[in-house]
Each structure stands twice: as C-alpha cells, then as structure tokens.
Amino acid sequence: MKTRRLLLILVVVIVMLVMLMSCSKKTTEPDDPESEPIVNEETQVIPSTTGNEIIEVAEDSVVLPADTDIDLIQEGNIIVSAPTEAAPHGLLRKVISYEEQNGQLVVATEHARLEDAFDQLDLNITQDMKTSDIETSRALIDGIIFKQDTKNPYDFSYSIDEDFNLGSNITLNIDGELTLTLGYELMVKIGLFQGLHYVKAGSFVTSNGDLGFSVNGSFDYDRSIELYEHYFVPVTFYVGPVPIVIVPKAVIVLNIDANGQASVSTSVSASATLSAGMVYDKPDWTTYQERNLNFDYIPPSLTASMESTIDAGPRFEINLYGITGPWVYGKAYLSLNADTSLDPWWVLTGGYAVDCGVNFDALGYVANYTIPNIINHSTVLAEAPSIVATPTFNPSGGTYSTTQNVTLGCTTPSATIRFTTNGSDPTEASTQYSSPITVSTTTTIKAKAFRSGWTPSATASATYTITPSGTVATPTFSPPGGTYTSSQSVSISCTTTGATIRYTTNGSEPTATSPAYSTPINVTSTKTIKAKGFKDGWTPSATASATYTISSPPPGQMIYVPGGTFIMGRTTGSGGSDELPTHSVTLNSFYIGKYEVTQAEYSQYMQPGSSWTSNYGLGDNYPAYYVSWYAILKYCNLRSMAEGLTPVYSISGSTDPVDWGSVPSSNNSTWNAAICNWSANGYRLPTEAEWEYAARGATNTPEYLYSGSNDVNSVAWYSGNNSPYGSKPVGTKAPNGIGTYDMSGNLWEWCWDWYSSSYYSSSPSSNPTGPASGSYRVLRGGIWYSGADYCRVADRFYYNPYNGNFSIGFRVCRAGL
C-alpha cells in the first residue's frame, strides 16, 4: 500500500468486491418436454448459406444479395439469423419492405422481439462464464490488471493499484486483489394466448478479495468509475430451427462518495457467495436472493471526522441479439462514519446491495422494469472504543484575587486524570491528579483523562489569572531602557494614585527603605535602574527594571570593550605556575588601543622620541619601543591634555608632567608612588586584567590559546615566522574578536600592575589593579623573537619600570563612557 492512499476505508472490499452479480451454473436446453415451442408462421430463419452472404446490417435495414429467396423477406416476416460476419450478434428483425438497388436487395427492418418470433416458448438457460469465453476485454483505468488462469478458466482475477486525485493534491489509493466466478440464468415463457408471461433473470457470483485504502488530507469526492469491461463470445441456442443468440457483457464499476478531513488507512478481506435476480410472472414482479458474505479487516487509523462509502461490483447484461435484455448490478460496499463529537466516534460498516432490471426491447411487449435493492444487507464490522469524558475544572478558569484550589473531575468511572501546568499537552506520563491543585500565580492547567481500552479524552484547558485586590501597578520608565549615545534623564511613573516609587541603581532589589523617586535620574554611564511601587495597605508592585547603555562613539583607533565577567588565568594548555589559580573577574567597560602605540604617535608628544633603529624596526607605523614604564606615564598625560581630556596620572599631587621633572632612568620611589585616577577620561595603561580580557576578545568562548586564534601564525609575529629580524608594522596580522591587533607577538606590552607570582590567589573579583607595591611591572603578549608559548593570552612576564628595551612597547586605554 502506498503512502497517501485513499481514503476511506471505505470500501475496501469494495472494490470490486462485487463484481457482484453476474453468472454461473450449467447450460441446459431451452425446451420443456411438456411445453413444445411453437414458431410463429411469419418467422423466417435465414439459412447459413444466405446468412454468410449478408452484405450489410444497419440499425433499420439489412442488405442481401439480389438472388436471395424473396419469400424470406416478405413484409411482416420476422427474419432470424445466427451470428455471421456482417451480423456478429445474429439478427431478430421484422421486415417492413424491400427493394432492389444496384443489384442488391435492401430490406427495411425494425427490431423484433422473441414474442414476435414464437407463439409458444419455454426457454431455460443457466450458464457458467469462463475466461476462455471472453471475446474482447479492456481496462478502463490504468491501475487495474485482469489475470487469466489457463488451469482454472472459471476464475476471473483482478489486481488494482490506482491513485485517484481528490483535488488539492490529495490522493486516494486503492490496491489489492479480487477473484470472481460468474454466471447467469435466464428463463423466458411465451404462451399461445398469454404472450410473454414469465421472465426470470439473475446472476450469481463467488468472490474473494483483499483490498486496502489510504488517504491523508481534506476531501469532498463523489464519482462512479468504470474499471474493466468484458464482452463474451455470443452463445447460440436453437429452439427448433430458430437460433436464439445471447451476448453476455460484464462491466466492473467502482463508486466513491467521501468527504471530510482526516488521515485514514485500512484494509479489508472479504469472501462472498451471492445469487440474486427478479421474476416477472404476469402481471406481478418478485425477487429472489441467496447470500453469504464474510469480512475480515484491520481497524481504521484516522484522525478527524469524515463520511465515506465505497462500493464496487459487476454490472452484468444478458444481451439478446446485441440488444440489452435483463441486467443485474451487484456491489459490495464499505462505509466509514466518523464524528469526534459522538461515542463511538467512528463506525465501520460492511455490506452489499443488488439492483436488477429488464429491458424488454428484445423479449416482448412489456414495459421496462427495475427493482433496486434486491439485496441490501449490512453489518457493523468495527467501531471506536468508548471515549473517556473530558475532565472538568472547579472552579472554572478566570480572574481571581486570591489563591485558588482547583479540583479536577471526570464522569467516566475508573478514569485517571493527568495534568500539566507548563503549557504542554498531558500524556499518560504526565502528573496524575490526586488532590486539589493550589494556584497562587497566573497559571494554565491542561488535563486529559485515560482508561485502559478506551480512547483518551479530549484535552481540557483552563487559565487562572491571580490578581490580588489592591496590588500597586508596576512602575514604568521614560525613556525605556536601551543603548544611547548621550546621557539620559530617566523619569519613573506609576498609575496607582498615592503610590511611592522606590529605586536602586546598584543592581539590588528595591525595598521600602530604598531611595524614594522624586525627580528624573540623570544617567551618564551604563546603569541599571530597578523600581518598585509601595502603598500602605496594598500589595507592592512587581519590580520593574531598565538598563541604559551610554555608548559614545569610540575615540580614534580605540576599541570599545563592554564590561563583563570572564575566567582569568590559564584555562587551557600548559604554562607557568603564576598563571594559576584561574579565577572569575568582573570588569567595567573601557576602551583599548586598536594597535600598539606607533613611533609616529609617540614622537608627537615625547621629543626627541626614542632610540629606534632599523635593526629592530623603524618607521612611523612600527610600534614604539625602548620606552620605560615611567616614560609612558608622561606620554599618557601629555596626550590627554593635548586632546582636552582629564589626565589620569598624578605624581607628588600634580597631573602636569612639567612639574614632574625628567623621566628617571633608575628606580625612583616618587614615580613608583604615582596615583591613577580610574574615573578620569584620559589615556592610561590597561590593568593586567583589562589587557587579558581584551586579548581574549572579551569572552572565554572560544577558549583560544592566542589572541583571536589557536593558530599562532595567523595572529602573531614570533620566532617561528619573523623574517627579517625585528618588529613589524602594527596591524599586519589578523585581529581578534573585538578588533585589536598584535596582542599576541610583535612586542611585549606594559600594564599598570606591579608583578606578583602569587597575586591570582588573592586578586579581587571586581576591577583588580594589582598588588600595592613591588619591584617589577607586568608585561603581556610575547615578542617577535620569542617562542609561541610566550604569545599565549594567559602568559605573564615583568620588567623594571625605569628601563626601556627593544622588545617592549605598549598600548593605551581609556575609561568607558
């Protein structure tokens, strides 16, 4: 069976189950010893020699050779012929006139009836059909195959595998096998005084079928489809000299009537033995029937409401001289009715029906007659298990001012109720209801009931909104939290009359003792404001929170580093013991130089510059080196003053380097005691923690060994790729994740902190600035002549603050705005 197959169970057997009624038993001679046939004196049988010379047969004429015996074709004669080449179904015609034309006799005729040819007749035919008797066959759809068994010519076997387009890309598929044996019986009595006074016509069939159907989607389809057609070899019975020619015909028909929206699949096996027909005993009509029908089935799998019926079977015609006479149409059917509002919500019914009729155009002068539903038998094959009743809630969902204790109930005895409060649909694995559910905050409860052998109930849902009476409305902020490029004046309001708003700016929850809001709050740097409304005798409001990020455009050649928390120290790889223990550090936002300070930038404020040579890299875009830690303090303040910024460093109480005197070339306690104003907006050295945070790209993910990569060659100049000897212009390797260059390799970089190998064991967790004193200042980042290990972001080094070196440079920082 295919995917997307048809629908409806319906009918499975349906299909053809029925070729239902068509023929079977044995052949007998038509005469009765006590009722000899009497042929009407006008009846003329065309001899076989003349019959073979019939030139043409039309609807209202027969053309014969000119030398035909004229006595045969006198006006009023009934001419009868066995099958010939020109009249393959024989002839039963009444002569109206004749004339000679172009050397031929053209006989004008009209169709006659057996009642015209006989004054007395007792015809009794019972005939089993064989596949070897088929004259012509054709499939009327692509998906059906007729299979002949030469060892058993009485079996008519069919296989079907066909998709029927129901529209909207929905396909019904029917497939399976059907085997039939067919036969018919015909009795005709004509009396000398009564004329045609008795007709018995019917068919019999045995059937074995195994068919399946499936469909998936929405459909509305009503159609009758002819599947296969057989014409059998004409059978000639002689009553005295008169040939009676019978031409059986069988057409297998499929009817589909379905509508709904569902996913359905099923299969049905059926076996049937049927015999049915009708009797005309002038002037009365009666029927006869025998039946035995058995079904075996797979219960349907379906998902929604639908109605559908499929029936199939043979329409069998007993044609006399090529003219339709008695006919029988039998069909087995399968019906599926599904309605999710009923119990049981689906019912599968199997059955069969037989219609029968007589067309008297070739028999006698009686009006055509049809009798529907000679057989109309049905039986319920299967139905859906009983459906568990939908659970109920008490109290029902709604808005309440107090906590609710919700009771669940189900009217189905022995049912188990399962429920959820997280929005998911309940399953048999969900929490089992046993006692009232306490609801103190807004909650949606979903419930479903289960019982073994029954269809689970529909899911019931109820939402409980808990709004205590007298709850203060939640405060609102104007403007709302967000990122701004300038300071903001933040107003806080509350719609509850008489409420007092309390707020915090340090991240803590507001309480009744927090500052009371009265005037707009001026936010000049990144800040989170939390607010809560209070009123005597009322429930305090929920806490409102808004974060304002004040982010001015970064200074030239500077990278903004947002504040955050990271793990500092050697988190991967191997290294020195001074890189441990790893520890969590939280930093405020800050700016850091995109590049190491260049020789051109340094010379702008520090004259006459430094002792740079071509041996170690010389040029405006090369990093400045031979710069001591002391000299950098002077550079930073001079540059800050030149750009209108507040100097960061002070020595002996002054921020003006003119007051400091010459940069010492040996250890100097006064310069060692320099003070850093961390809130000033001027230039300064990064702390060791700021340097590592920036080198990591402000994140521990991914956990790179070097600044921006695990591939040292992509981001660093070091001994493994440095040729020719010396430093390289800044920014010639790849940047890290925040856009800084050369934080691995090229030159060591000064940091603010005094160096201590054990500092990580006691480092503050928030904005650490290093030990209070020491002998050396920290270096970070590695050097163009060192190995890759020194270029790791966790590696630590140090140097005398009063000395410069060809391997040491620096980059500057500024406080975040």
Side-chain angles (χ1 to χ4, degrees), residues 577-764:
S577 62
D578 62 346
E579 301 165 15
L580 299 173
T582 58
H583 54 289
S584 177
V585 174
T586 300
L587 298 175
N588 295 337
S589 60
F590 60 95
Y591 292 92
I592 194 166
K594 185 175 184 179
Y595 307 106
E596 294 165 327
V597 172
T598 65
Q599 294 172 14
E601 290 172 329
Y602 189 84
S603 298
Q604 188 175 356
Y605 303 102
M606 301 290 284
Q607 296 298 331
S610 189
S611 304
W612 306 312
T613 69
S614 58
N615 290 335
Y616 304 116
L618 180 62
D620 287 349
N621 204 34
Y622 280 74
Y625 52 89
Y626 279 129
V627 289
S628 70
W629 187 89
Y630 292 160
I632 294 170
L633 303 185
K634 180 178 179 179
Y635 168 82
C636 286
N637 273 24
L638 289 174
R639 181 173 174 182
S640 296
M641 294 166 65
E643 294 183 14
L645 304 175
T646 301
V648 170
Y649 299 119
S650 61
I651 297 176
S652 299
S654 175
T655 59
D656 188 349
V658 173
D659 298 333
W660 299 350
S662 300
V663 176
S665 59
S666 61
N667 191 47
N668 186 290
S669 59
T670 300
W671 284 64
N672 288 342
I675 296 173
C676 178
N677 179 6
W678 299 103
S679 62
N681 63 358
Y683 293 96
R684 62 176 174 80
L685 285 169
T687 66
E688 185 178 21
E690 287 174 332
W691 189 97
E692 184 171 327
Y693 184 56
R696 289 181 179 274
T699 178
N700 288 103
T701 305
E703 201 73 72
Y704 288 136
L705 272 174
Y706 311 104
S707 182
S709 179
N710 284 326
D711 176 15
V712 66
N713 287 286
S714 67
V715 294
W717 292 109
Y718 75 112
S719 61
N721 62 14
N722 186 53
S723 180
Y725 193 79
S727 64
K728 297 296 181 289
V730 299
T732 52
K733 284 292 184 179
N736 69 3
I738 61 172
T740 61
Y741 293 80
D742 301 311
M743 295 195 81
S744 286
N746 214 14
L747 290 180
W748 290 111
E749 296 178 15
W750 286 110
C751 292
W752 163 261
D753 306 44
W754 290 106
Y755 173 79
S756 169
S757 63
S758 61
Y759 180 66
Y760 282 9
S761 297
S762 59
S763 170

Side-chain angles (χ1 to χ4, degrees), residues 231-492:
Y231 277 96
F232 293 86
V233 174
V235 180
T236 303
F237 299 95
Y238 281 90
V239 179
V242 179
I244 298 177
V245 182
I246 295 178
V247 184
K249 175 185 177 182
V251 179
I252 287 74
V253 181
L254 171 68
N255 294 293
I256 302 171
D257 183 2
N259 65 84
Q261 182 168 354
S263 174
V264 184
S265 62
T266 188
S267 65
V268 176
S269 298
S271 61
T273 301
L274 306 167
S275 175
M278 60 192 301
V279 176
Y280 169 66
D281 192 355
K282 190 176 183 178
D284 300 320
W285 289 93
T286 58
T287 64
Y288 67 94
Q289 53 107 344
E290 295 179 6
R291 66 183 188 276
N292 184 9
L293 184 65
N294 296 301
F295 287 98
D296 190 12
Y297 60 92
I298 295 176
S301 172
L302 67 164
T303 59
S305 299
M306 62 176 295
E307 294 182 4
S308 56
T309 300
I310 297 178
D311 65 63
R315 185 176 67 242
F316 195 83
E317 299 174 5
I318 305 172
N319 298 323
L320 296 165
Y321 302 98
I323 299 172
T324 302
W327 57 268
V328 181
Y329 180 22
K331 57 262 186 184
Y333 63 85
L334 203 65
S335 294
L336 177 65
N337 292 318
D339 186 337
T340 54
S341 67
L342 301 178
D343 184 13
W345 74 275
W346 62 259
V347 177
L348 178 65
T349 302
Y352 51 90
V354 179
D355 301 334
C356 192
V358 177
N359 184 327
F360 283 92
D361 289 349
L363 289 172
Y365 295 91
V366 178
N368 296 340
Y369 199 77
T370 297
I371 301 179
N373 294 328
I374 293 175
I375 298 176
N376 191 358
H377 173 78
S378 65
T379 183
V380 173
L381 301 179
E383 60 186 24
S386 294
I387 301 173
V388 179
T390 302
T392 57
F393 300 87
N394 184 27
S396 58
T399 300
Y400 299 90
S401 61
T402 60
T403 296
Q404 299 296 300
N405 290 314
V406 180
T407 301
L408 306 184
C410 178
T411 58
T412 299
S414 302
T416 299
I417 302 173
R418 303 282 179 169
F419 72 95
T420 63
T421 57
N422 61 1
S424 63
D425 284 336
T427 67
E428 289 189 272
S430 299
T431 303
Q432 180 175 336
Y433 172 80
S434 58
S435 60
I437 304 165
T438 299
V439 179
S440 57
T441 60
T442 297
T443 302
T444 296
I445 302 175
K446 291 186 175 183
K448 192 169 189 175
F450 299 85
R451 179 176 172 179
S452 179
W454 289 46
T455 300
S457 74
T459 297
S461 179
T463 298
Y464 297 84
T465 302
I466 309 300
T467 305
S469 177
T471 299
V472 178
T474 303
T476 58
F477 300 91
S478 179
T483 300
Y484 299 91
T485 59
S486 61
S487 62
Q488 298 295 304
S489 181
V490 180
S491 298
I492 311 175

